[in-house]
Amino acid sequence: MAGGDGAATAGAAAEAGMGLDISPAGGLPSFEFAFNSESFSDRVLRLEVVASDGVAGGSLPDLAFHCDELHKEEAVLRVKTIYINSLVLAANSPFFLKLFSNGMKESDQRHLTLRIADSGTEETVMMEILSFMYTGKLTTTEPNLLLDILMAADKFEVLACMRHCSQLLTNLPMTRESALLYLDYPCSTSVAAEIRHLTDAAKEFLAGKYKVFAKFSDELMDMPLAGIEAIFSSTDLQIRSEDTVYSFLLEWACKQYPETEEGQKIWSSRLLPLVRFSHMTWSKTP
């Protein structure tokens, strides 16, 4: 299939199929047979893995396409070549639809290069997203990886994959580790909205688990800030007096941020609002 014809066909197919779920559960056929198949593909995607400082920011949101004739100064650590079908990708992603049909040079490129950082999961994440657009399935249920996939799916506008990640995360049991992961995961506004129910559930889980303060005061001293905020903002917290809250938060801040300007900002903007000053006794310690 020629590049120009492929772009036109991709646009037409995408208009007809945009937003449809290609998974078997959605009632439409899976294209798993065509994934990474030269016989059913019209383009070649070259994944270049470079050092994390070779991609701006070195993180998933900074993935970017390059035409394969661009000069590349960064050392390429490894390369993975994947056969892709522009119709399948364009039908599932507005990002790829625009890439293949915007009339720019990329629209006619048979060979495309995607540069990703070598920081642990990016290569796996990209393969999961590409595979999902053909199969409607993911191969992992690991929370951290699912969040990374969700972030990248947001970047490439694969909305069905975002919904699928969110559903898989919802079905996983909540633990202390997963709750803190959801609360402290750096993400875009759209991803934050997609996992809002998870962050709400995480706050509720931590608040319930640690509601009896006296039993967990030592353990809470090592709790990250996101967890501290979730626990001490809960109305179910069981404490002897609000003075205890003030004293604990002050001690926690001194331990976590000793003599730093950041600690002062966190104390005044994020910790003090957790104290109900109207309930304090203001008694002086002898």
Side-chain angles (χ1 to χ4, degrees):
M1 183 182 294
D5 293 340
T9 308
E15 290 177 4
M18 185 63 65
L20 294 179
D21 183 0
I22 66 169
S23 67
L28 294 175
S30 167
F31 295 102
E32 186 170 2
F33 67 91
F35 179 59
N36 200 19
S37 168
E38 184 175 7
S39 300
F40 294 97
S41 302
D42 62 328
R43 299 175 191 257
V44 179
L45 177 62
R46 174 186 168 95
L47 284 182
E48 290 187 350
V49 181
V50 300
S52 57
D53 57 356
V55 176
S59 59
L60 285 170
D62 295 306
L63 294 172
F65 271 100
H66 301 266
C67 296
D68 58 357
E69 73 269 13
L70 289 180
H71 178 64
K72 306 174 183 67
E73 297 180 355
E74 301 89 352
V76 176
L77 303 179
R78 59 185 179 276
V79 173
K80 188 178 187 69
T81 300
I82 307 156
Y83 295 103
I84 58 174
N85 185 294
S86 58
L87 300 181
V88 174
L89 270 59
N92 285 276
S93 162
F95 175 93
F96 284 104
L97 170 61
K98 287 180 283 189
L99 181 73
F100 296 142
S101 61
N102 62 8
M104 303 296 286
K105 183 177 293 187
E106 292 88 344
S107 300
D108 296 324
Q109 288 286 327
R110 171 171 167 76
H111 295 267
L112 297 170
T113 298
L114 177 59
R115 181 160 295 184
I116 57 179
D118 182 34
S119 55
T121 64
E122 281 81 352
E123 185 176 353
T124 299
V125 165
M126 198 63 222
M127 291 302 297
E128 287 279 356
I129 290 176
L130 290 171
S131 175
F132 179 88
M133 287 190 278
Y134 284 80
T135 67
K137 298 180 290 186
L138 296 172
T139 65
T140 182
T141 56
E142 200 280 312
N144 214 327
L145 186 55
L146 284 173
L147 284 172
D148 286 347
I149 294 171
L150 198 157
M151 279 286 288
D154 176 52
K155 168 70 178 180
F156 292 109
E157 303 177 71
V158 189
L159 305 183
C161 187
M162 291 181 66
R163 292 193 297 268
H164 190 61
C165 286
S166 178
Q167 186 59 53
L168 289 176
L169 288 166
T170 301
N171 293 339
L172 293 175
M174 188 70 72
T175 64
R176 179 185 186 276
E177 291 71 24
S178 63
L180 292 173
L181 174 65
Y182 300 149
L183 291 177
D184 213 26
Y185 190 82
C187 57
S188 64
T189 302
S190 55
V191 171
E194 185 68 37
I195 64 171
R196 176 64 183 271
H197 65 291
L198 288 173
T199 55
D200 288 344
K203 292 176 183 178
E204 184 177 344
F205 172 84
L206 291 174
K209 179 177 175 62
Y210 295 102
K211 67 180 180 180
V212 183
F213 174 78
K215 291 175 57 178
F216 300 102
S217 57
D218 292 338
E219 182 178 344
L220 288 175
M221 193 56 66
D222 295 319
M223 178 72 66
L225 177 59
I228 291 293
E229 289 180 307
I231 294 164
F232 284 89
S233 62
S234 170
T235 57
D236 294 330
L237 183 65
Q238 299 176 14
I239 52 172
R240 288 192 303 173
S241 72
E242 202 68 20
D243 302 60
T244 303
V245 172
Y246 182 91
S247 298
F248 172 83
L249 293 178
L250 181 59
E251 183 180 356
W252 181 91
C254 291
K255 179 181 179 181
Q256 299 293 330
Y257 305 94
E259 300 180 4
T260 64
E261 183 177 346
E262 181 186 11
Q264 292 292 333
K265 291 180 179 178
I266 289 176
W267 170 249
S268 60
S269 65
R270 300 181 66 173
L271 295 179
L272 280 181
L274 300 175
V275 181
R276 298 177 299 173
F277 287 98
S278 61
H279 292 264
M280 290 184 67
T281 64
W282 301 101
S283 60
K284 294 183 179 180
T285 303

Short mmCIF file of all heavy atoms in Angstrom, two decimals, residues 56-82:
data_model
loop_
_atom_site.label_atom_id
_atom_site.label_comp_id
_atom_site.label_asym_id
_atom_site.label_seq_id
_atom_site.Cartn_x
_atom_site.Cartn_y
_atom_site.Cartn_z
N ALA A 56 13.44 13.87 25.88
CA ALA A 56 13.14 15.01 26.74
C ALA A 56 12.36 14.56 27.96
O ALA A 56 11.28 14.01 27.85
CB ALA A 56 12.34 16.05 25.96
N GLY A 57 12.92 14.79 29.14
CA GLY A 57 12.24 14.41 30.37
C GLY A 57 12.46 12.96 30.73
O GLY A 57 12.32 12.58 31.88
N GLY A 58 12.78 12.11 29.75
CA GLY A 58 13.06 10.71 30.02
C GLY A 58 11.90 9.93 30.56
O GLY A 58 12.07 8.94 31.25
N SER A 59 10.67 10.34 30.26
CA SER A 59 9.52 9.65 30.83
C SER A 59 8.46 9.42 29.77
O SER A 59 8.52 9.96 28.67
CB SER A 59 8.94 10.46 31.99
OG SER A 59 8.56 11.74 31.54
N LEU A 60 7.46 8.63 30.12
CA LEU A 60 6.45 8.24 29.16
C LEU A 60 5.75 9.40 28.46
O LEU A 60 5.54 9.35 27.25
CB LEU A 60 5.40 7.35 29.86
CG LEU A 60 5.87 5.93 30.14
CD1 LEU A 60 4.87 5.23 31.04
CD2 LEU A 60 6.04 5.15 28.84
N PRO A 61 5.36 10.46 29.16
CA PRO A 61 4.67 11.54 28.45
C PRO A 61 5.51 12.23 27.40
O PRO A 61 4.98 13.00 26.61
CB PRO A 61 4.32 12.51 29.59
CG PRO A 61 4.32 11.69 30.82
CD PRO A 61 5.40 10.67 30.59
N ASP A 62 6.81 11.99 27.37
CA ASP A 62 7.67 12.68 26.43
C ASP A 62 8.03 11.82 25.22
O ASP A 62 8.95 12.15 24.48
CB ASP A 62 8.95 13.14 27.14
CG ASP A 62 8.64 14.16 28.20
OD1 ASP A 62 7.99 15.16 27.88
OD2 ASP A 62 9.03 13.94 29.36
N LEU A 63 7.33 10.71 25.03
CA LEU A 63 7.56 9.91 23.84
C LEU A 63 7.23 10.76 22.61
O LEU A 63 6.26 11.49 22.59
CB LEU A 63 6.65 8.68 23.84
CG LEU A 63 6.93 7.64 24.93
CD1 LEU A 63 5.85 6.58 24.93
CD2 LEU A 63 8.28 7.00 24.74
N ALA A 64 8.04 10.66 21.56
CA ALA A 64 7.81 11.50 20.39
C ALA A 64 8.24 10.78 19.13
O ALA A 64 9.20 10.02 19.12
CB ALA A 64 8.58 12.81 20.52
N PHE A 65 7.50 11.00 18.04
CA PHE A 65 7.83 10.41 16.76
C PHE A 65 8.89 11.23 16.04
O PHE A 65 8.97 12.44 16.17
CB PHE A 65 6.59 10.32 15.87
CG PHE A 65 5.83 9.05 16.05
CD1 PHE A 65 4.69 9.02 16.83
CD2 PHE A 65 6.27 7.88 15.46
CE1 PHE A 65 3.99 7.84 17.00
CE2 PHE A 65 5.57 6.70 15.63
CZ PHE A 65 4.43 6.68 16.40
N HIS A 66 9.71 10.53 15.27
CA HIS A 66 10.70 11.17 14.42
C HIS A 66 10.65 10.51 13.05
O HIS A 66 10.50 9.30 12.94
CB HIS A 66 12.12 10.98 14.99
CG HIS A 66 12.29 11.52 16.37
ND1 HIS A 66 12.75 12.78 16.63
CD2 HIS A 66 12.05 10.96 17.58
CE1 HIS A 66 12.79 12.98 17.94
NE2 HIS A 66 12.37 11.89 18.53
N CYS A 67 10.78 11.29 11.99
CA CYS A 67 10.94 10.71 10.67
C CYS A 67 12.28 9.99 10.64
O CYS A 67 13.25 10.45 11.23
CB CYS A 67 10.90 11.79 9.59
SG CYS A 67 9.33 12.64 9.50
N ASP A 68 12.35 8.89 9.91
CA ASP A 68 13.56 8.07 10.01
C ASP A 68 14.77 8.70 9.35
O ASP A 68 15.88 8.22 9.53
CB ASP A 68 13.30 6.67 9.45
CG ASP A 68 12.85 6.70 8.00
OD1 ASP A 68 12.66 7.80 7.44
OD2 ASP A 68 12.67 5.62 7.45
N GLU A 69 14.59 9.81 8.61
CA GLU A 69 15.78 10.42 8.03
C GLU A 69 16.38 11.49 8.94
O GLU A 69 17.41 12.07 8.62
CB GLU A 69 15.44 11.05 6.67
CG GLU A 69 14.61 12.32 6.73
CD GLU A 69 13.13 12.02 6.68
OE1 GLU A 69 12.78 10.84 6.85
OE2 GLU A 69 12.34 12.95 6.46
N LEU A 70 15.73 11.77 10.11
CA LEU A 70 16.27 12.77 11.01
C LEU A 70 17.61 12.31 11.59
O LEU A 70 17.80 11.14 11.88
CB LEU A 70 15.29 13.04 12.16
CG LEU A 70 14.01 13.79 11.80
CD1 LEU A 70 13.15 13.96 13.04
CD2 LEU A 70 14.31 15.14 11.18
N HIS A 71 18.50 13.26 11.77
CA HIS A 71 19.80 12.94 12.36
C HIS A 71 19.62 12.68 13.85
O HIS A 71 18.98 13.43 14.55
CB HIS A 71 20.76 14.11 12.15
CG HIS A 71 22.11 13.89 12.76
ND1 HIS A 71 22.96 12.90 12.34
CD2 HIS A 71 22.73 14.54 13.78
CE1 HIS A 71 24.08 12.95 13.05
NE2 HIS A 71 23.95 13.93 13.94
N LYS A 72 20.20 11.62 14.34
CA LYS A 72 20.06 11.25 15.74
C LYS A 72 21.44 11.25 16.39
O LYS A 72 22.31 10.48 16.01
CB LYS A 72 19.41 9.87 15.86
CG LYS A 72 18.08 9.75 15.13
CD LYS A 72 17.57 8.33 15.18
CE LYS A 72 16.29 8.19 14.40
NZ LYS A 72 16.48 8.38 12.96
N GLU A 73 21.60 12.10 17.37
CA GLU A 73 22.90 12.21 18.02
C GLU A 73 23.03 11.25 19.19
O GLU A 73 24.13 10.83 19.53
CB GLU A 73 23.10 13.65 18.51
CG GLU A 73 23.14 14.67 17.36
CD GLU A 73 23.34 16.08 17.89
OE1 GLU A 73 23.36 16.24 19.13
OE2 GLU A 73 23.48 17.00 17.07
N GLU A 74 21.92 10.92 19.86
CA GLU A 74 22.00 10.06 21.02
C GLU A 74 22.33 8.63 20.61
O GLU A 74 21.92 8.15 19.56
CB GLU A 74 20.67 10.08 21.80
CG GLU A 74 20.26 11.45 22.30
CD GLU A 74 19.43 12.19 21.28
OE1 GLU A 74 19.33 11.70 20.15
OE2 GLU A 74 18.90 13.26 21.62
N ALA A 75 23.06 7.95 21.47
CA ALA A 75 23.41 6.56 21.21
C ALA A 75 22.17 5.69 21.38
O ALA A 75 21.47 5.77 22.39
CB ALA A 75 24.51 6.12 22.17
N VAL A 76 21.90 4.86 20.39
CA VAL A 76 20.77 3.94 20.45
C VAL A 76 21.23 2.66 21.12
O VAL A 76 22.16 2.00 20.66
CB VAL A 76 20.23 3.65 19.04
CG1 VAL A 76 19.11 2.62 19.11
CG2 VAL A 76 19.75 4.94 18.38
N LEU A 77 20.58 2.30 22.22
CA LEU A 77 20.98 1.13 22.98
C LEU A 77 20.50 -0.17 22.34
O LEU A 77 21.21 -1.17 22.31
CB LEU A 77 20.45 1.23 24.41
CG LEU A 77 20.87 2.49 25.19
CD1 LEU A 77 20.26 2.48 26.58
CD2 LEU A 77 22.40 2.57 25.29
N ARG A 78 19.28 -0.15 21.83
CA ARG A 78 18.74 -1.32 21.13
C ARG A 78 17.57 -0.87 20.26
O ARG A 78 16.99 0.19 20.47
CB ARG A 78 18.32 -2.42 22.10
CG ARG A 78 17.27 -2.02 23.11
CD ARG A 78 17.01 -3.16 24.10
NE ARG A 78 16.02 -2.80 25.10
CZ ARG A 78 16.30 -2.13 26.21
NH1 ARG A 78 17.55 -1.76 26.46
NH2 ARG A 78 15.34 -1.84 27.08
N VAL A 79 17.22 -1.72 19.31
CA VAL A 79 16.18 -1.39 18.34
C VAL A 79 15.20 -2.56 18.24
O VAL A 79 15.61 -3.73 18.24
CB VAL A 79 16.78 -1.09 16.95
CG1 VAL A 79 15.68 -0.91 15.92
CG2 VAL A 79 17.67 0.14 17.01
N LYS A 80 13.92 -2.24 18.15
CA LYS A 80 12.90 -3.26 17.93
C LYS A 80 12.05 -2.81 16.75
O LYS A 80 11.55 -1.68 16.72
CB LYS A 80 12.02 -3.42 19.17
CG LYS A 80 11.05 -4.60 19.10
CD LYS A 80 10.27 -4.70 20.40
CE LYS A 80 9.41 -5.96 20.43
NZ LYS A 80 10.22 -7.19 20.53
N THR A 81 11.91 -3.66 15.75
CA THR A 81 11.14 -3.33 14.56
C THR A 81 9.79 -4.04 14.60
O THR A 81 9.72 -5.25 14.85
CB THR A 81 11.90 -3.76 13.29
OG1 THR A 81 13.16 -3.06 13.25
CG2 THR A 81 11.11 -3.41 12.05
N ILE A 82 8.73 -3.28 14.36
CA ILE A 82 7.37 -3.81 14.44
C ILE A 82 6.61 -3.44 13.18
O ILE A 82 6.64 -2.28 12.74
CB ILE A 82 6.62 -3.23 15.65
CG1 ILE A 82 7.45 -3.44 16.92
CG2 ILE A 82 5.24 -3.85 15.80
CD1 ILE A 82 7.11 -2.46 18.00
#
